[in-house]
Amino acid sequence: MQQTVVEHIEPVAEDVVALTLRAASGALAPWEPGAHIDVSLPNWLTRQYSLCGDPGVRDAYRVAVRHDPLSRGGSEYVHRFLRPGRALDVSLPRNHFPLVPAARYLFLAGGIGITPLLAMLRAAVAAGRPATLLYAGPSVDRMPFAGELRRAYGDRVRIVETGRHGRPDLGALDASLAPHALEPDTLVYCCGPAGMLAAAQEAFPAGRLHTERFQPAVRSFGPDTAFEAVCARSGLTVPVPADTSLLDALAHAGRPVPSGCREGVCGSCEVSVLDGTPEHRDDIGASEGGMYACVSRARSARLVLDL
């Protein structure tokens, strides 16, 4: 973990604030566009936020937090109780949504989904690549960083107020709205609500499209079954009942694993699998030989973990 202090809390849209987290001392870990961090809040909750500042600034991170009326406590705490000067522990950055080198880019953002794309657009422009951002939201006053983006990038940014003009048809983008969208060497990066992600998947080939979601996709799996998890380093065998996650079973057995979202979208609870066959249920793709303990289960009767 890294120690930071809340330096600044700035409203950037209706129900959205940007936090500047300054290093308590020295520099913070480097990061690249698309990365996110876990923030340990004082109300014992950990939440994940995309880094939306400048990777060149080594002593501070910038994140944005939208107030969710159905909040489980994270965004409510940030908006109602967090104040400048508060110390916060944050994780090292993780990146499951990296910016791949390309000849040109089209960025598609919906609402708070703008956050990981801010640094991507900055990097693409700095590299001299043709890049356009299509940014959709109900109205400008509810779209974080809309004014900042217009001032910095001018015509590269296309703002679509869906409350006035409806949702953009991603399958029929014309040159005035999204230059180069149909070029075969244009990579498309999309982050936003589920409807926007689904529309992007319909409109663009999988080889050109990169997406990030803040909520897990709705998918179906077979019935949950019990299995055993063997902790190789200690020799402890942990039974995992059908109605209990691997993450919770390990915690109950005294072998807790760091976790954040508990929904398979943040990557903080990855464990290494030495033997056995996991059933991956995450939305980000576990690394070779790994699995996410919060949602994934086992296809074999036993998993041997590097714990």
Side-chain angles (χ1 to χ4, degrees):
M1 299 295 284
Q2 306 177 91
Q3 294 183 329
T4 69
V5 175
V6 180
E7 181 180 69
H8 191 51
I9 302 176
E10 174 192 7
V12 290
E14 183 179 328
D15 291 330
V16 182
V17 295
L19 309 180
T20 300
L21 307 177
R22 184 71 57 183
S25 64
L28 295 169
W31 60 281
E32 295 182 351
H36 69 273
I37 55 172
D38 298 341
V39 178
S40 297
L41 297 171
N43 60 347
W44 302 100
L45 293 176
T46 299
R47 292 294 180 261
Q48 295 72 46
Y49 301 112
S50 295
L51 290 166
C52 57
D54 183 349
V57 176
R58 292 296 310 279
D59 62 347
Y61 291 150
R62 187 191 196 197
V63 299
V65 183
R66 178 177 66 87
H67 184 218
D68 184 351
L70 301 178
S71 170
R72 292 174 295 171
S75 70
E76 181 179 16
Y77 182 90
V78 169
H79 278 257
R80 294 186 59 189
F81 303 110
L82 191 64
R83 297 291 182 269
R86 182 79 198 208
L88 293 178
D89 287 339
V90 304
S91 70
L92 297 176
R94 292 190 301 277
N95 199 342
H96 304 293
F97 191 43
L99 184 65
V100 178
R104 50 183 57 87
Y105 296 96
L106 170 62
F107 300 110
L108 305 173
I112 197 65
I114 187 61
T115 51
L117 302 184
L118 279 172
M120 291 188 178
L121 178 60
R122 180 185 292 111
V125 171
R129 300 291 186 265
T132 302
L133 168 66
L134 178 62
Y135 184 12
S139 60
V140 170
D141 61 351
R142 297 177 61 186
M143 300 169 69
F145 308 113
E148 177 181 317
L149 285 162
R150 281 173 162 167
R151 289 190 297 272
Y153 302 107
D155 291 342
R156 293 178 186 268
V157 176
R158 318 290 181 174
I159 301 291
V160 178
E161 295 182 274
T162 58
R164 297 173 57 191
H165 306 295
R167 297 177 180 177
D169 183 354
L170 301 186
L173 295 177
D174 59 27
S176 65
L177 193 60
H180 316 300
L182 301 181
E183 297 288 339
D185 55 358
T186 297
L187 289 189
V188 182
Y189 280 78
C190 181
C191 186
M196 172 175 270
L197 295 174
Q201 289 169 339
E202 292 256 343
F204 301 101
R208 291 175 51 207
L209 178 64
H210 300 259
T211 62
E212 182 175 62
R213 61 180 70 244
F214 295 133
Q215 298 292 332
V218 177
R219 295 181 292 164
S220 60
F221 299 95
D224 294 344
T225 58
F227 62 97
E228 290 184 338
V230 179
C231 299
R233 288 185 236 166
S234 65
L236 177 68
T237 296
V238 178
V240 184
D243 61 352
T244 302
S245 70
L246 173 58
L247 183 71
D248 286 340
L250 290 170
H252 294 158
R255 294 293 185 274
V257 173
S259 64
C261 70
R262 303 180 72 92
E263 295 181 323
V265 296
C266 79
S268 62
C269 65
E270 187 171 20
V271 295
S272 295
V273 180
L274 304 177
D275 192 32
T277 305
E279 180 183 51
H280 298 294
R281 298 184 177 186
D282 62 274
D283 277 276
I284 53 179
S287 61
E288 182 72 22
M291 67 181 292
Y292 296 114
C294 64
V295 293
S296 296
R297 301 192 66 82
R299 296 186 183 276
S300 53
R302 187 182 77 154
L303 295 177
V304 180
L305 307 178
D306 186 17
L307 293 173

